[in-house]
Amino acid sequence: MTAGQHPAPAAGVRARWRRWRRARPFTAGLLIALGGAEMLVTLRAPLGVLLHVGPQGLAAYLVPAVLVICGVLLITTPQQRVFYAVLSLVLGLVSWLTSNLGGFLIGMLLALVGGALAFAWTPVKRRPAHAGPQATPAETAPAGPAPAGPAPAPRKPADSSAPTESLDAILSGEPGPPGNARMERG
């Protein structure tokens, strides 16, 4: 590699892929989608273990299809992860009755583990950009004169046992009763 050339672009692609994958419940969505796909495959298997006719037959295809959709939507829209997680947990349990014992237990377990992972996943908070070595407060203080005026006094913590104002008073902008006064409703 000569001077002035950048490293291979594959490293940048992998870093972007890793950032994108970690910003969403990727593993959970993948497990849910795989569980639903496995249930669909076992329904088409020529084993004839369970045969459903009528509404039960529709549910046998509908439950795994919705699980696959939940897995994909969980990856694409992580803001709705709680809804998709609860829905996939419920559908994973329902698949025991509708889809050949939950895809012979494998698809059901994949959907349940994926739903639990999705429910437990929380977004990663962004770290501030690393600006080099940490500066001490003396180094970051302005070089000019100190600001005029006394420093504000520390605030006293509010008594959390009684509210200071009612919600109606806060919304209307009117002062409410003092914190220690309680009104009786009749």
Side-chain angles (χ1 to χ4, degrees):
M1 187 160 70
T2 62
Q5 285 185 343
H6 296 291
V13 171
R14 273 188 276 161
R16 282 186 291 157
W17 166 252
R18 190 177 301 124
R19 259 192 323 271
W20 180 85
R21 192 184 67 220
R22 289 182 180 172
R24 57 199 70 245
F26 184 79
T27 305
L30 187 65
L31 287 176
I32 292 170
L34 285 176
E38 195 272 338
M39 286 181 215
L40 284 171
V41 167
T42 59
L43 287 173
R44 299 302 302 161
L47 299 175
V49 176
L50 295 175
L51 179 64
H52 294 291
V53 179
Q56 293 86 10
L58 177 64
Y61 289 102
L62 191 62
V63 168
V66 172
L67 277 172
V68 170
I69 292 169
C70 275
V72 171
L73 287 175
L74 190 62
I75 293 171
T76 57
T77 57
Q79 300 85 2
Q80 307 297 326
R81 69 185 180 280
V82 175
F83 173 73
Y84 296 134
V86 171
L87 184 62
S88 62
L89 287 170
V90 169
L91 289 176
L93 291 173
V94 168
S95 71
W96 175 262
L97 301 173
T98 61
S99 304
N100 287 346
L101 301 175
F104 301 116
L105 201 64
I106 296 169
M108 183 182 81
L109 288 177
L110 285 171
L112 292 177
V113 168
L117 285 174
F119 193 76
W121 182 83
T122 56
V124 177
K125 298 191 190 255
R126 298 235 179 231
R127 295 181 190 165
H130 185 64
Q134 295 292 331
T136 61
E139 295 172 354
T140 60
R155 293 179 60 174
K156 190 170 75 171
D159 180 24
S160 62
S161 63
T164 57
E165 291 183 337
S166 69
L167 181 60
D168 293 333
I170 292 172
L171 293 176
S172 67
E174 300 171 3
N180 55 4
R182 296 190 181 222
M183 296 176 57
E184 294 186 23
R185 295 187 179 194

